[in-house]
Amino acid sequence: MIVISISEEVANAILKSKKNSCAKLQEKISKSGKPLNKKVKTKIVLNVKQETNTVNTENVLAFVEGTDLNDEIIVITAHYDHLGKHDGVVYNGADDDGSGTVAVIELAKVFAKAKKEGKGPRRSMLFMTVAGEEKGLLGSDYYTQDPVYPLAQTVCDLNIDMIGRLDKAHAGDPNYIYLIGFDKLSKDLHDISEAANKKYSNLKLDYTYNDEKDPNRYYYRSDHYNFAKNNIPVIFYFNGVHEDYHKETDEVSKIDFAKMEKITRLVFHTAWDLANRTERIKLDKK
Ligand SMILES: [Zn+2]
């Protein structure tokens, strides 16, 4: 429990022992124009009733089997849940994370198409949209505790969470993306990511949030983290937050599709290299 809100009625009951009230205090504040602190000692009884509901949901997995290195898996993830419905208002979550979910479906499509045309990847590809991210990374937690393909054979996870908008720091400049986590477990992954960008995308790769000391701690806040926790190298693709973040106004009309496509292509080229190189990327650190 983090926050307890009380009504004015309860506040007045607490203040009564000091012959005070919210109205009296408000008057003092108005007169002095300064905020006021008051310490009141009182006994409070708090009844907490917690209700637990069981809700069923599922991760959605699509698999493109590789050729000669098919027992090794590259995972691409995005979460398909958002915040649900509050007071009759649906939170669609177009950027968070409709953008990532759409990217995963497009990537699955092109890998499947390549395979159909006899040019499929050497390693196997697992495209997974996960549930319950907003409730605490639950879908990816479930998958990594009960994986369909062995985690030891899982080469990396590329996680896409918010790629359709701009943040304040890049207003008017859609040619960027924040990458997080890319060098924490494997230098090879970092090098592949940079090479793919240099050769095909030329996006500004912003590493601000990769800093361990960054107070936002984004590295721990999306589904890739459950893979990283299991010593699987990850990259988290993220455009940063904006005024519609976690609001009902996160709508599809505000999505910058050209930007989204550019980032999805970068994920594709990175994944393509990871899937087809002869040497599996090395794990440097645990
Ligand atoms: Zn998200």
Side-chain angles (χ1 to χ4, degrees):
M1 191 173 299
I2 304 161
V3 177
I4 301 169
S5 298
I6 59 170
S7 65
E8 191 171 332
E9 203 185 338
V10 174
N12 280 335
I14 293 169
L15 291 165
K16 214 173 156 185
S17 63
K18 293 272 173 229
K19 299 199 167 37
N20 233 323
S21 72
C22 289
K24 276 186 194 167
L25 293 177
Q26 186 57 56
E27 209 183 298
K28 272 188 197 164
I29 292 166
S30 301
K31 264 188 197 157
S32 68
K34 282 185 203 141
L36 189 68
N37 289 316
K38 274 258 174 248
K39 272 190 189 165
V40 181
K41 239 186 179 174
T42 189
K43 196 179 162 193
I44 292 175
V45 178
L46 197 66
N47 287 312
V48 180
K49 196 174 139 200
Q50 189 177 32
E51 269 183 46
T52 306
N53 297 316
T54 303
V55 178
N56 290 315
T57 184
E58 54 269 306
N59 297 326
V60 181
L61 286 68
F63 190 67
V64 175
E65 198 181 359
T67 54
D68 59 320
L69 302 173
N70 60 1
D71 61 338
E72 291 177 3
I73 317 287
I74 314 285
V75 185
I76 302 187
T77 48
H79 70 88
Y80 71 85
D81 66 322
H82 192 48
L83 303 176
K85 202 169 156 185
H86 295 283
D87 299 327
V89 181
V90 175
Y91 286 57
N92 285 319
D95 189 33
D96 183 14
D97 188 21
S99 62
T101 310
V102 168
V104 169
I105 293 169
E106 287 299 317
L107 290 163
K109 242 194 218 171
V110 293
F111 272 91
K113 187 170 183 247
K115 186 180 167 157
K116 210 173 164 188
E117 292 172 7
K119 295 166 192 154
R122 297 177 70 190
R123 291 188 175 81
S124 296
M125 303 293 305
L126 176 63
F127 301 93
M128 178 162 65
T129 53
V130 288
E133 194 268 359
E134 303 285 5
K135 300 283 181 202
L137 317 183
L138 302 182
S140 51
D141 182 48
Y142 177 84
Y143 179 84
T144 49
Q145 286 192 50
D146 189 16
V148 179
Y149 304 97
L151 293 185
Q153 296 294 95
T154 303
V155 174
C156 69
D157 171 47
L158 306 180
N159 182 47
I160 311 168
D161 191 353
M162 298 171 69
I163 57 164
R165 295 284 296 273
L166 311 182
D167 72 349
K168 261 205 195 110
H170 300 85
D173 172 27
N175 203 52
Y176 79 97
I177 187 71
Y178 292 105
L179 298 194
I180 302 163
F182 49 86
D183 63 348
K184 301 217 186 291
L185 296 172
S186 169
K187 190 184 173 293
D188 289 347
L189 181 59
H190 175 43
D191 292 347
I192 289 165
S193 162
E194 289 216 320
N197 184 55
K198 209 172 159 199
K199 193 164 177 191
Y200 300 105
S201 301
N202 278 309
L203 284 153
K204 186 183 168 239
L205 303 181
D206 193 323
Y207 297 157
T208 306
Y209 294 137
N210 191 51
D211 187 346
E212 281 286 334
K213 284 178 224 116
D214 185 84
N216 292 294
R217 294 172 59 84
Y218 287 124
Y219 180 57
Y220 306 94
R221 286 176 53 185
S222 187
D223 295 298
H224 57 276
Y225 184 63
N226 281 317
F227 289 87
K229 225 164 65 176
N230 285 287
N231 293 313
I232 296 165
V234 301
I235 304 179
F236 172 21
Y237 298 84
F238 175 55
N239 54 218
V241 297
H242 44 74
E243 64 277 13
D244 298 310
Y245 175 67
H246 281 191
K247 292 196 183 129
E248 74 273 25
T249 49
D250 182 1
E251 283 290 342
V252 72
S253 56
K254 296 175 184 170
I255 295 288
D256 181 341
F257 284 98
K259 177 202 156 100
M260 230 179 97
E261 182 187 334
K262 253 193 141 176
I263 295 157
T264 308
R265 284 178 186 275
L266 172 64
V267 180
F268 169 79
H269 289 297
T270 306
W272 189 259
D273 187 341
L274 287 160
N276 288 300
R277 61 181 32 247
T278 300
E279 288 278 307
R280 174 178 172 165
I281 56 166
K282 272 195 292 293
L283 185 73
D284 306 321
K285 296 170 222 163
K286 288 202 169 185

